[in-house]
Amino acid sequence: MDRRVLFATLILLAGGATGVGVALFAFVGVDDATTEATVVWESEPAAGDDGSGAVIATVDGDPLLLRPAVENGSRVVTATVAGTDETPWTVPVSGPDAERGGGDGTGGGDGDAGGNDSDGAGGDPLAVSGLTAGTLGGDPVVALTTAAGELVVLDAADGTERFAVDLGGPAGLRPTIGDLTGDGSREVAAVTTDGGVRVLDGEGDPVAEASLSGEISRRPLIVEPDAEAGERGGLAVLTTAGSPATVHMLDASGGTRWTTEPSVNPLSWNAADSRDGPVLALGGASGTIETVEASDGSDRYEVKLQDRPIAVGDADPGRVYVGGSGSVWAVDLLDGEVVWKQQYGASTRVNEPRMADVDGNGERAPVVLNRAGGVLAMTQSGEVIARGDAGDVVAYGGPLFADVTGDGGDEVIVVADDGTAIAVDT
């Protein structure tokens, strides 16, 4: 049967405050010709995280699945070669909580703070954020923060501690890694929940710091500068100051370039490039996506997608991909046009979409994972490549990717709420 593509006109009415108009988009239907994805690998569980804290890091060509976990009552980070039973290293995470217990027991369903089994009682394992993979000084690393306020950076190759820094306040939010200064070297930025901001270089030496009003409950975002285009970079930080929040754009020394109060109550956000410069895309609790110019904080557009919370995911230079209750959208970054909408999984919540090359053709395209473990791989035009599921699981994070079969395409890695990783071949 030929793939069915249905076209429809969606009238987006969000009230006078949002200024949302009419958008024409392609509604792409899932049909019987869609390839069914299959499970090709399953790991052992890794207790101590709700599954949203895991990442993939590539070390010497091998994809390593890195998970925050609890072993024998202690917090650890464990590395597993994706697609195998090989565990090259497991290392304890030290910190103030490691001896006295503690933590806030909060999970990280939005991908910011990693879940854990700590409830704050004495003797509980150290509470940590979700992990961030990247490179510092050309070396693959993994970074996290502890609830007690320490930034820890490990070498992904063997788990040795590269550096650990006291942030000066409670943390537990996922850090970010990127080239903030535009000098070709990457930095790591971390925040504390009480408004502290720290930026450090690849050796752990301070680059910038700031203290902002309000609380911070989302990870910071590095907007990398583009000297050729005349675009300045910065560090975006979201605080609870303002109504309903305030976005602060800091420069490379920690000074404030601009602040703005978005219209939406942001539950998720991401930085993205567009044809007219970088933007910050915010996903609201009421189903509205809002984009803010990274250059000056002005509002570019708001688009009402549905009446339930949405999760902003990855972007390519032209559009950002958004997950909601039973739906996925591709939204044009320039003008807010809904390019296409794909419905999947009835009303099950779709986690933040991510991009990968699942068929090995060299083109990255969106892949989504919903809370029930359902996987949907699409082309950039929204047509479905494959669908399937990871079994009877609950998944709180977005999909991860690794080529575990050696066929040149990425398999989708689903990490369940008990830490079990399942590779789905699309």
Side-chain angles (χ1 to χ4, degrees):
M1 179 184 297
D2 293 335
R3 196 184 310 273
R4 296 190 299 260
V5 182
L6 306 178
F7 292 92
T9 300
L10 174 67
I11 300 177
L12 300 174
L13 298 176
T18 63
V20 177
V22 178
L24 180 67
F25 70 90
F27 176 82
V28 186
V30 181
D31 68 13
D32 294 337
T34 301
T35 302
E36 290 293 332
T38 57
V39 173
V40 295
W41 171 70
E42 184 171 325
S43 76
E44 293 295 321
D49 182 74
D50 65 4
S52 66
V55 293
I56 296 286
T58 301
V59 177
D60 296 329
D62 290 327
L64 290 186
L65 171 68
L66 307 176
R67 290 171 287 178
V70 172
E71 291 189 1
N72 300 319
S74 297
R75 175 65 59 180
V76 300
V77 175
T78 184
T80 301
V81 179
T84 75
D85 295 328
E86 182 182 351
T87 301
W89 54 264
T90 297
V91 297
V93 179
S94 61
D97 280 358
E99 296 182 357
R100 71 167 187 259
D104 57 8
T106 56
D110 61 2
D112 293 334
N116 61 78
D117 58 3
S118 172
D119 63 6
D124 286 338
L126 180 71
V128 300
S129 72
L131 305 179
T132 296
T135 59
L136 289 175
D139 301 320
V141 300
V142 59
L144 58 89
T145 70
T146 71
E150 190 172 39
L151 169 66
V152 180
V153 178
L154 308 174
D155 283 319
D158 56 13
T160 57
E161 186 178 282
R162 189 180 183 99
F163 58 83
V165 175
D166 185 357
L167 297 173
L173 297 174
R174 197 187 295 261
T176 189
I177 296 173
D179 184 5
L180 175 63
T181 61
D183 63 357
S185 298
R186 293 187 164 216
E187 293 81 32
V188 56
V191 296
T192 61
T193 58
D194 60 2
V197 181
R198 295 286 297 275
V199 181
L200 303 108
D201 65 16
E203 302 302 320
D205 295 325
V207 173
E209 63 180 289
S211 180
L212 306 177
S213 59
E215 298 179 350
I216 302 175
S217 60
R218 300 281 173 251
R219 72 191 191 280
L221 301 174
I222 288 179
V223 179
E224 297 189 351
D226 186 343
E228 293 183 0
E231 298 168 355
R232 293 190 294 171
L235 179 66
V237 182
L238 189 65
T239 73
T240 59
S243 179
T246 297
V247 178
H248 307 254
M249 182 63 77
L250 309 181
D251 61 25
S253 63
T256 299
R257 281 178 43 202
W258 54 259
T259 63
T260 189
E261 295 185 15
S263 299
V264 303
N265 179 16
L267 297 183
S268 63
W269 71 332
N270 207 353
D273 289 326
S274 76
R275 300 185 299 275
D276 195 25
V279 296
L280 303 176
L282 294 80
S286 61
T288 297
I289 181 172
E290 179 177 358
T291 58
V292 174
E293 301 283 356
S295 60
D296 59 10
S298 61
D299 195 69
R300 182 176 287 191
Y301 61 75
E302 297 172 46
V303 174
K304 182 82 169 180
L305 299 177
Q306 62 178 36
D307 293 324
R308 298 181 180 182
I310 54 175
V312 173
D314 283 351
D316 58 33
R319 61 190 65 168
V320 62
Y321 301 99
V322 183
S325 294
S327 297
V328 186
W329 297 266
V331 180
D332 192 287
L333 285 167
L334 188 62
D335 56 15
E337 177 188 359
V338 179
V339 182
W340 53 257
K341 175 184 178 181
Q342 177 66 258
Q343 290 182 318
Y344 181 63
S347 60
T348 304
R349 182 172 174 180
V350 175
N351 302 328
E352 66 272 20
R354 291 176 179 162
M355 299 185 70
D357 179 14
V358 297
D359 56 8
N361 67 357
E363 180 181 278
R364 296 173 69 247
V367 179
V368 296
L369 168 66
N370 67 21
R371 292 291 171 90
V375 175
L376 197 68
M378 294 162 283
T379 67
Q380 290 187 0
S381 61
E383 295 184 49
V384 174
I385 298 172
R387 62 179 174 183
D389 64 73
D392 186 16
V393 302
V394 177
Y396 290 111
L400 304 177
F401 307 101
D403 182 7
V404 303
T405 62
D407 63 357
D410 290 326
E411 277 67 56
V412 181
I413 308 296
V414 178
V415 184
D417 62 349
D418 66 351
T420 300
I422 301 115
V424 179
D425 186 5
T426 57

